[in-house]
Amino acid sequence: MNEESNIDESILTSRLYLRRSLLTDVSDIIELTNNEFLADMADLPYPYLHRDAIKWVISKSRRQSNEHCLPYVITLAASKVVVGAVTVLMQVKLNQA
């Protein structure tokens, strides 16, 4: 848990594990993101290079409680293989995400 909030740092379900991104995820992130269609749809650089993945991991690891933005890497619970990413935006005034 983060000292400044009561938000869990990870989420575990029977199939998925959502957690903070790590530098060890870079090669998986490149493999998932280096896709021209995805780049067009999500406004990402193409080709998606090592430096792009490093920049993404570092930026997502800097969670700031005042932004109420919680980025997660999505992995399969059993194998821990990275399959995607998601950001949960907290709406504190409305008590929802």
Side-chain angles (χ1 to χ4, degrees):
M1 293 262 230
N2 184 331
E3 265 181 35
E4 299 175 357
S5 71
N6 60 357
I7 307 292
D8 285 333
E9 292 293 316
S10 61
I11 299 170
L12 179 64
T13 71
S14 60
R15 294 181 319 135
L16 301 174
Y17 177 54
L18 283 67
R19 60 167 173 76
R20 295 182 96 160
S21 56
L22 305 168
L23 287 175
T24 55
D25 297 325
V26 166
S27 60
D28 292 332
I29 292 166
I30 293 168
E31 185 176 335
L32 290 168
T33 311
N34 195 28
N35 176 300
E36 192 171 5
F37 176 75
L38 178 63
D40 287 343
M41 186 175 64
D43 195 29
L44 297 169
Y46 182 80
Y48 198 82
L49 305 174
H50 187 265
R51 68 175 177 255
D52 300 318
I54 294 278
K55 182 179 175 182
W56 185 85
V57 168
I58 290 170
S59 72
K60 298 306 175 194
S61 67
R62 293 183 181 146
R63 295 184 191 195
Q64 296 181 2
S65 61
N66 62 347
E67 290 183 22
H68 306 290
C69 177
L70 303 171
Y72 292 101
V73 167
I74 305 167
T75 69
L76 299 177
S79 65
K80 304 297 188 248
V81 171
V82 176
V83 295
V86 65
T87 299
V88 178
L89 300 175
M90 304 299 295
Q91 296 180 336
V92 177
K93 289 182 181 181
L94 299 175
N95 197 29
Q96 64 185 16

